[in-house]
Amino acid sequence: MTTRTPFVSQAPKLGLVTSMDGIRGMGVTMLIIGHALFSYVESWVTIIDGFFVLSGFLITTLLIQEHRSTGTIGLKAFYWRRGMRLFPSVWLFVGVWIVIGIAISGARAAGAPVPDEIPGITDILADGAAAVGYVYHLFFPNGLYVIDPDTQNQRTMWHLWTLGMEEWFYLAIAGTVLVCIKKNWIKQLGIGLGIVFVAMGVARWFAYTGFFQDDENMVAGVRMFFLQRPDSLMLGVVVAIINAYIPEDFTIRHKRWFLAAATAGLALWMLMLNLSSGAVEKLGGPYFEYLPAGPEEFTRTQMMETTYWFRFGHTLGAFGFAFVLIGLARYRDWWASRAWSVNWLQWMGQRSYTIYVWHALPFLLIMGLTGGEDAPLSMQLARLPFMAAATILLSVVVYNKVEMRVLKSKLRFTA
């Protein structure tokens, strides 16, 4: 019986890539602006596609490197590190919202004029249970407003669907990569996930948002599964596998072509970021609606009659970012690598997870007190600096006092 030789990466060790912190910093800055002025920059949502590709790439690359260095992948240590990185901030966030929810419900019971935009304890508890169980993407998925706007309007943690999606990815990826390395099936894994990425892109193009999308009794996250972008995480794995097959001298010899592809990918990604932008539309530029406005328009027949942005934007945005990622990983002297390595973007990027988790708290409270999403543009612009400042201050406290203390314990489990 023939014994398979385990796969060994040919790529140079990744190490610290400051531009990847920087691109997280740029992304979370765009997220703060985008959630404050959503109707004006709606297609900025594809920054999540970029984050997912980056996450899939980094996790897979680090697992492949660990196996090359040690001969195995420590699954227990991997999951322990992931848990210590992800759980504390989210659980504290949920706990704070529960306290706020109790206070809000008490104030309403006492007859206080609490804005309707601020939900009560029942909805907060539902959100919290989905968040700490990492099933938010199943019960309150991205795009929920299209099929159930009333439920969406009561959400306090609407952004945590991304963490649920990533957590399920983390559960699957470490063991899968370990098996595929040992069996030397890593190429087959990349090809298989690449096929799934293309298939999901084709499905979205033909206005499929998920499985059983016309069944109103089906779980919302199943009906809207393709809008949760698992294919972007898969693409990140594919990029990591491709990167592992490319020796360093090959990228040195063909630097010109690699950077040309990375620059073209960046242009494509930037284009997708702005094709469903109300601001671009007002300036006379091209514009595509992101999704149907509500349930009355949510049929495949109607969606096929309109070139909605979701039909092509997520796929092309993730695809373009994949080339950017190779450029960042291999060429620290690329102009984009240098631009994303500036200190303030790195600072934001290092705290991007904390900012992402916690920004919803000051955002919803301030928006609830200032007219909500329907406030005039002048009010939306006036409150943005206060929302951003409150987010940064709150996140710095949580990062320094909670996350950094937990991360010190994490070092004991670093491979």
Side-chain angles (χ1 to χ4, degrees):
M1 182 176 180
T2 304
T3 302
R4 288 180 176 268
T5 302
F7 171 77
V8 178
S9 173
Q10 300 180 62
K13 186 175 180 180
L14 188 63
L16 174 64
V17 184
T18 55
S19 58
M20 291 185 183
D21 275 338
I23 206 164
R24 287 193 189 98
M26 184 193 79
V28 81
T29 301
M30 293 172 64
L31 177 135
I32 288 172
I33 298 171
H35 280 170
L37 303 169
F38 186 63
S39 62
Y40 294 93
V41 289
E42 196 162 6
S43 50
W44 281 14
V45 296
T46 202
I47 195 67
I48 297 296
D49 295 280
F51 277 0
F52 277 7
V53 176
L54 177 59
S55 183
F57 171 81
L58 285 175
I59 291 297
T60 306
T61 297
L62 293 175
L63 290 171
I64 290 173
Q65 287 183 176
E66 180 183 346
H67 191 278
R68 181 172 64 182
S69 299
T70 68
T72 189
I73 293 172
L75 297 181
K76 181 179 178 181
F78 172 80
Y79 291 120
W80 185 256
R81 292 194 302 267
R82 287 290 88 201
M84 286 195 292
R85 180 68 188 99
L86 298 176
F87 295 166
S89 202
V90 168
W91 291 357
L92 179 60
F93 176 77
V94 170
V96 169
W97 260 117
I98 290 173
V99 173
I100 292 173
I102 293 171
I104 288 171
S105 296
R108 282 191 173 130
V114 179
D116 292 338
E117 288 83 2
I118 302 178
I121 187 62
T122 301
D123 290 300
I124 289 172
L125 287 174
D127 272 16
V132 299
Y134 289 90
V135 291
Y136 206 95
H137 63 298
L138 292 178
F139 295 102
F140 308 118
N142 176 53
L144 179 61
Y145 72 89
V146 177
I147 58 175
D148 192 353
D150 291 338
T151 298
Q152 176 63 37
N153 289 338
Q154 299 304 311
R155 305 279 55 85
T156 54
M157 307 174 198
W158 76 95
H159 59 310
L160 295 187
W161 68 267
T162 60
L163 302 188
M165 193 76 250
E166 284 194 284
E167 189 65 19
W168 284 90
F169 166 74
Y170 294 143
L171 284 173
I173 191 60
T176 300
V177 168
L178 177 58
V179 170
C180 289
I181 287 175
K182 288 189 171 183
K183 298 289 187 180
N184 209 342
W185 293 341
I186 205 76
K187 183 184 293 184
Q188 290 87 333
L189 175 64
I191 292 171
L193 293 181
I195 291 171
V196 175
F197 174 79
V198 172
M200 285 194 187
V202 170
R204 279 195 296 258
W205 174 249
F206 285 101
Y208 288 100
T209 60
F211 304 101
F212 309 104
Q213 66 190 63
D214 296 326
D215 183 355
E216 296 183 1
N217 295 316
M218 179 53 63
V219 175
V222 175
R223 298 176 67 191
M224 311 299 282
F225 184 69
F226 299 154
L227 295 185
Q228 316 315 304
R229 282 99 87 188
D231 51 324
S232 293
L233 286 161
M234 295 177 191
L235 181 60
V237 179
V238 174
V239 176
I241 292 171
I242 292 172
N243 182 64
Y245 273 97
I246 304 175
E248 187 170 16
D249 62 339
F250 186 83
T251 52
I252 292 173
R253 292 199 310 271
H254 300 285
K255 179 178 180 179
R256 176 183 175 187
W257 297 108
F258 273 95
L259 289 184
T263 302
L266 178 59
L268 176 61
W269 185 52
M270 289 294 180
L271 179 64
M272 291 304 108
L273 281 169
N274 291 289
L275 279 185
S276 183
S277 167
V280 171
E281 181 188 23
K282 290 180 184 300
L283 294 172
Y287 174 78
F288 298 87
E289 289 183 75
Y290 175 45
L291 276 169
E296 66 283 351
E297 299 176 17
F298 186 70
T299 67
R300 281 198 60 248
T301 301
Q302 289 176 292
M303 286 191 285
M304 284 295 291
E305 292 175 356
T306 303
T307 309
Y308 288 107
W309 183 91
F310 88 90
R311 291 178 56 192
F312 63 90
H314 293 305
T315 302
L316 294 181
F319 183 72
F321 188 79
F323 288 91
V324 174
L325 199 49
I326 290 289
L328 298 179
R330 291 300 182 109
Y331 304 103
R332 312 298 166 88
D333 61 342
W334 181 31
W335 67 266
S337 295
R338 295 196 305 270
W340 280 320
S341 294
V342 298
N343 289 337
W344 77 268
L345 282 178
Q346 288 188 61
W347 188 92
M348 290 287 287
Q350 290 159 5
R351 294 155 182 79
S352 59
Y353 173 72
T354 319
I355 294 170
Y356 182 77
V357 170
W358 285 88
H359 83 283
L361 179 57
F363 268 48
L364 279 179
L365 295 179
I366 292 173
M367 289 174 71
L369 296 171
T370 55
E373 293 182 357
D374 297 326
L377 177 59
S378 58
M379 174 56 74
Q380 293 185 46
L381 292 172
R383 70 193 180 190
L384 172 57
F386 297 96
M387 294 161 70
T391 294
I392 299 299
L393 289 173
L394 179 59
S395 299
V396 166
V397 172
V398 174
Y399 181 81
N400 290 334
K401 300 298 183 181
V402 178
E403 293 189 4
M404 288 306 296
R405 293 184 179 182
V406 174
L407 288 174
K408 288 178 181 178
S409 300
K410 172 185 171 182
L411 293 176
R412 291 185 295 137
F413 299 90
T414 301

